[in-house]
Amino acid sequence: MTNAVETRRNRIADIVSRNGFSNVLDLAETLSVTPATIRTDLRALEERGLVKRSHGGALMVSREVTDLPEDVKGRINVGLKKRIASKAVQLIENNDTIIIASGSTMVTFAENIIPEGKLNVVTPSIRIAMKLLGNDDISVLQLGGRIYGNTLSTRGEYAESGLELLHCTKLFFGVEGFDMTSGLTCATLEEAALTRKMMQSATKSIVLADSTKFCRRGFGRICRLSAIDMLITDDGLPQEAIRQIEDDGVQVIIAD
């Protein structure tokens, strides 16, 4: 293999790593080669474990995530979370009944809620429940079950059974990672199971996730991307990824 080919492939790997996703046509234009050459390069890079080919382009190799304490995650990408939360609260309607999942992004979302009329909130998060209890216009239903210290929230069969007699208009939840291949993922199987149960108890499922979660992957798989109704994210998400997510029937809202 010539030095020119190796240099080009290193550039491709770098572009995909920085952007999370790149399509064949964009790479061909950037590097002044044919799409066929790019496809050959991507096959070679995939064999070396540097990228993953997908949907006419390439994804960066998944970055696995762990179940970090919520106060640690709360200090990551604070500005992005605030922008996304501010956009998401605009979806709450008068006299609404919603589910708010646990997680640092959801805590920021709860902090931004100023209800018009009355608001009913169902949540497994003790931290979110405590933040909302001081507002006389908000009624909070705390899901029961075993309390997990990392998130100060409940999970498991008792939390899931608390949802069986409920139906809400919207579920707002965060994820540890999302991509076109694995869909939506989180850190644990228990959280994934509870999230699926919450989705069944809501008319609309709305994901709040900043663009750094793209191409990350948690241990617990929640669902396919096409199973949700809306993704609220920031302008760091690649345009090609937005197009593909929208092609799956998901409305993508960019928080400015």
Side-chain angles (χ1 to χ4, degrees), residues 12-24:
I12 292 170
D14 181 62
I15 291 169
V16 174
S17 177
R18 284 188 285 106
N19 295 337
F21 177 88
S22 292
N23 66 41
V24 168

Side-chain angles (χ1 to χ4, degrees), residues 62-68 73 175-177 185-188 212-213 215-220:
S62 174
R63 297 166 288 169
E64 303 297 328
V65 297
T66 56
D67 194 13
L68 294 173
K73 291 192 289 186
V175 296
E176 294 292 350
T185 57
C186 59
T188 69
T212 67
K213 303 290 181 66
C215 293
R216 295 180 67 188
R217 190 171 298 168
F219 179 64

Side-chain angles (χ1 to χ4, degrees), residues 165-187:
L165 299 178
L166 301 176
H167 187 79
C168 299
T169 63
K170 307 173 188 76
L171 161 65
F172 296 90
F173 69 101
V175 296
E176 294 292 350
F178 66 99
D179 61 47
M180 272 70 70
T181 303
S182 296
L184 305 171
T185 57
C186 59

